[in-house]
Amino acid sequence: MRVDQTSVVLIEDHRAQQEVLAAAFEARGHHVHVAATGAAGLDLVDTVDPDLIVLDLGLPDVDGIVLCKHLRARAACPIIVVTADSDERRLVAALDGGADDYLTKPFSMPVLLARTRVALRHRAAAAAVVDEPILEAGDVRLDMNGYQLMVADELVDMHPRQFMLLALLVRNQGKVLTYAALDRALGSSNASSDERKSWRVAVSKIRKQLGSGPRRPTIHTEHRVGYRLTVPDDAG
């Protein structure tokens, strides 16, 4: 997908912020459609069928978490939420409600644009691998039928639960997966502190087994939120 073919719906009620964000996206070839309310944003999404939605959670007419859920029901594209509220519970609720990523205000435009590139780059790839028997991320390859993991063409033996966790991260590469999302997908009943500790242990072991390399994917910890897997830009 070429950048100059992408359409962005920006839902932001602050006029100055609208102008700054719209100018930055347009300077990079995106077609930007701006809405100042949640209702207008929903109408735009239905009309435009965007490639990306940037959503401010602090809107005047509707709770941002509720709106995020409605947007996810109507659009398959990545949703990046931005908010001045640093309450981790709301960030987690937004991610569990369908958002792919988040930034807290104030944030730098280079960071937002970098997150945008990642979301757009992995949109098609993530959709394509959901039901595929072979999953790939950089030089990591998972055979879902044979439960085999290849790292840089070498077979790596991995515990089944860790293998499934890695597969889930690869399927959703570039997206933040919350602890609650991991619990639902991999069979745990809640996101208790003990369960979060078990995820931390599992991720730590996966990182050690993957090792490092120029094409190696990286698992990032989103503090008190969850995890995100990314692939180096030149790793394909």
Side-chain angles (χ1 to χ4, degrees):
M1 179 185 296
R2 293 172 52 195
V3 170
D4 61 3
Q5 295 176 324
T6 61
S7 176
V8 177
V9 165
L10 171 61
I11 308 176
E12 165 66 65
D13 66 317
H14 193 278
R15 183 63 180 271
Q17 191 78 355
Q18 282 180 6
E19 294 175 353
V20 170
L21 293 175
F25 280 120
E26 288 170 351
R28 285 152 182 84
H30 300 281
H31 302 291
V32 182
H33 308 267
V34 180
T37 65
L42 286 172
D43 288 341
L44 267 181
V45 167
D46 288 340
T47 303
V48 172
D49 188 21
D51 298 294
L52 176 75
I53 299 170
V54 178
L55 168 65
D56 179 8
L57 293 183
L59 297 171
D61 63 328
V62 64
D63 179 78
I65 305 299
V66 174
L67 178 60
C68 186
K69 293 178 180 178
H70 285 301
L71 291 169
R72 175 49 68 220
R74 299 186 187 202
C77 68
I79 300 174
I80 299 177
V81 298
V82 296
T83 177
D85 187 351
S86 60
D87 186 343
E88 291 164 350
R89 291 171 297 180
R90 284 196 44 90
L91 292 176
V92 170
L95 292 165
D96 284 336
D100 296 86
D101 205 348
Y102 69 91
L103 287 170
T104 55
K105 298 178 181 179
F107 56 83
S108 71
M109 281 307 305
V111 170
L112 174 59
L113 293 169
R115 297 285 182 88
T116 297
R117 290 193 298 272
V118 169
L120 292 173
R121 184 169 66 246
H122 291 304
R123 177 192 179 195
V129 302
V130 168
D131 296 317
E132 290 295 316
I134 301 297
L135 305 180
E136 294 183 322
D139 60 0
V140 169
R141 185 174 185 270
L142 296 95
D143 179 347
M144 299 306 295
N145 291 332
Y147 281 84
Q148 288 188 328
L149 169 64
M150 302 292 292
V151 179
D153 296 324
E154 293 188 7
L155 184 63
V156 175
D157 185 32
M158 181 172 283
H159 186 279
R161 188 168 190 256
Q162 294 162 23
F163 181 92
M164 295 308 298
L165 173 55
L166 177 59
L168 187 64
L169 290 165
V170 170
R171 281 193 175 109
N172 293 275
Q173 56 189 270
K175 177 177 179 176
V176 177
L177 290 179
T178 65
Y179 293 112
L182 297 177
D183 294 337
R184 289 193 300 270
L186 298 178
S188 180
S189 60
N190 60 71
S192 67
S193 59
D194 286 343
E195 187 59 33
R196 290 186 181 187
K197 182 178 179 180
S198 76
W199 291 130
R200 288 195 294 272
V201 171
V203 168
S204 177
K205 291 180 178 178
I206 292 172
R207 286 170 173 154
K208 289 179 180 178
Q209 289 186 281
L210 293 183
S212 61
R215 300 185 64 246
R216 199 65 38 81
T218 301
I219 302 174
H220 304 272
T221 299
E222 301 289 335
H223 183 56
R224 295 186 180 178
V225 175
Y227 299 99
R228 177 210 315 264
L229 181 141
T230 63
V231 180
D233 286 340
D234 58 352

